[in-house]
Amino acid sequence: DMGAMVKAGILTDLTPYAEKYGWSKILPASMAARNSFSADGAKFGEGNLYGMPITAEFIGVYYNKEKAAKLGDQPKTFDAFEASLKAAKDAGETPIQFGDLDGWPAIHTYGEIQHENVAKQYLDDFIYGRNDVSFVMPENKDAAARLQDWVKAGYFTPDFSGIGYDDSWQGFSGGKGVYMITGSWISGELKAAGADGKFGFFLMPPKAEGTPNLHVAGTGMAYAIRKSSAQQDLAAEYIDFLVSPDAANVLATTGIIPLAVDPAKVEPETLYADIVASWQHILSTDTAGHYLDWASPTFYDTIVAALTDLMGLNITPDDFVQQLQDDYGAFIAKQASS
């Protein structure tokens, strides 16, 4: 959407304002790229800054403290996490609270598995359309196979394809399931539901303990300025306020994760503290991956449909990666010819 607006000449280049206000101290280069386009709107991930986000959004694992404690220590590796899923199932629990009626929750779940195996350079190239990469690769196929294995093992809520996301997280809030793989954005809802103390949060653990792995992560919607606005300087000043420490402190009271959250001002040993610490880890290790549906204008619809079939055990992992590559390849070819 941003690229189309840039191409149409609708948005103001915010680069001068970013330099004036020092937004680069708040917005890491890898995050700035997600809000950057060439001046003609053709190239994503480089060029001018056209939007300034104020919040972080990333995927991780919420857990029911009481139920998880019965399974042993918090898993430190991906294998240990899978072992805890099996232990939860064996104990008669639903390992992962999950509802996919809305379609997009499966993208995040698949992405977390896929991010265990792929390199950051590959993800950047794929999302930004560089270096002729393909979705048909062993790592993506293996992640699809692993997701199907979880379905076959009964690790997800029964009949998950008919359960909406809101019903799913509300069920989790009410005690259903041991884990829920979803975004930082529901921390406020859990707090508002009076369930804050019942849950914790951790990032999907890596293959090997101590080895940083990628996570599905990024920022919230970016604030932009209309090119036709007569109050551009005032608008930029307002955006600068939104990313200020004062505004961050207000956002923190709602459970939202500001880009510039101050961990020292967060109440320790809370769900929010877990999430803030996770965000700080992503920043310090430069392990923010990508939301896969950004790969093409139609990729969201394609991956939702393909994941529905994959998790319904109606297609193979080979079929899955090929369907996504067909969409992506067509988009890249169109870009090259335009």
Side-chain angles (χ1 to χ4, degrees):
D1 292 342
M2 182 182 283
M5 292 179 186
V6 171
K7 186 175 182 179
I10 294 172
L11 301 183
T12 294
D13 174 13
L14 300 185
T15 306
Y17 292 118
E19 294 172 353
K20 175 182 177 179
Y21 290 111
W23 291 342
S24 62
K25 297 176 183 177
I26 303 169
L27 187 66
S30 62
M31 300 295 171
R34 300 159 198 240
N35 297 283
S36 299
F37 277 86
S38 58
D40 61 0
K43 293 184 179 180
F44 180 32
E46 59 186 79
N48 304 325
L49 183 72
Y50 288 98
M52 181 64 188
I54 65 172
T55 62
E57 292 186 352
F58 55 98
I59 308 301
V61 183
Y62 290 85
Y63 64 96
N64 182 304
K65 290 183 176 180
E66 181 180 351
K67 292 183 177 182
K70 296 177 182 178
L71 303 178
D73 296 335
Q74 182 176 306
K76 301 298 183 184
T77 66
F78 189 75
D79 284 347
F81 178 67
E82 286 197 303
S84 72
L85 297 179
K86 183 178 185 305
K89 180 66 176 177
D90 291 345
E93 295 282 359
T94 298
I96 301 173
Q97 176 70 1
F98 183 67
D100 199 42
L101 182 62
D102 299 86
W104 55 264
I107 304 176
H108 300 160
T109 303
Y110 170 77
E112 282 291 280
I113 299 173
Q114 182 236 19
H115 277 45
E116 290 281 331
N117 301 309
V118 296
K120 186 175 180 64
Q121 184 64 54
Y122 167 78
L123 281 174
D124 284 347
D125 287 343
F126 182 72
I127 294 297
Y128 299 135
R130 303 170 181 161
N131 297 323
D132 197 30
V133 297
S134 172
F135 201 80
V136 178
M137 58 184 294
E139 292 86 347
N140 293 336
K141 177 184 171 182
D142 290 347
R146 184 66 59 92
L147 185 60
Q148 282 195 325
D149 288 343
W150 287 9
V151 172
K152 294 172 184 175
Y155 290 165
F156 295 107
T157 306
D159 302 319
F160 56 78
S161 63
I163 301 172
Y165 179 74
D166 285 344
D167 289 335
S168 182
W169 78 255
Q170 288 168 10
F172 183 68
S173 174
K176 294 182 179 180
V178 178
Y179 299 115
M180 185 169 181
I181 300 172
T182 190
S184 53
W185 51 81
I186 69 160
S187 63
E189 280 87 347
L190 290 174
K191 182 177 181 180
D196 187 34
K198 299 178 182 178
F199 302 100
F201 180 92
F202 59 84
L203 294 172
M204 186 66 76
K207 283 186 173 182
E209 187 173 350
T211 303
N213 56 308
L214 296 174
H215 308 281
V216 178
T219 61
M221 283 292 187
Y223 280 72
I225 301 175
R226 283 185 299 110
K227 203 166 188 177
S228 61
S229 172
Q231 301 291 345
Q232 295 200 17
D233 289 349
L234 186 60
E237 187 178 345
Y238 178 64
I239 293 173
D240 188 57
F241 161 72
L242 290 176
V243 296
S244 70
D246 287 343
N249 291 338
V250 173
L251 287 170
T253 65
T254 69
I256 294 172
I257 312 298
L259 282 178
V261 62
D262 183 356
K265 295 185 178 180
V266 175
E267 183 181 353
E269 298 183 6
T270 61
L271 173 62
Y272 190 73
D274 286 351
I275 295 174
V276 168
S278 296
W279 176 239
Q280 295 299 313
H281 174 80
I282 289 172
L283 291 179
S284 64
T285 55
D286 191 26
T287 50
H290 284 282
Y291 291 89
L292 295 174
D293 48 288
W294 288 15
S296 84
T298 56
F299 207 79
Y300 175 86
D301 290 336
T302 300
I303 193 171
V304 164
L307 280 168
T308 298
D309 283 339
L310 183 76
M311 297 188 73
L313 308 180
N314 296 318
I315 60 173
T316 67
D318 284 312
D319 296 331
F320 172 76
V321 296
Q322 188 60 58
Q323 286 181 23
L324 297 183
Q325 176 55 30
D326 289 345
D327 178 297
Y328 183 71
F331 170 66
I332 295 300
K334 182 179 179 180
Q335 290 290 93
S337 63
S338 62

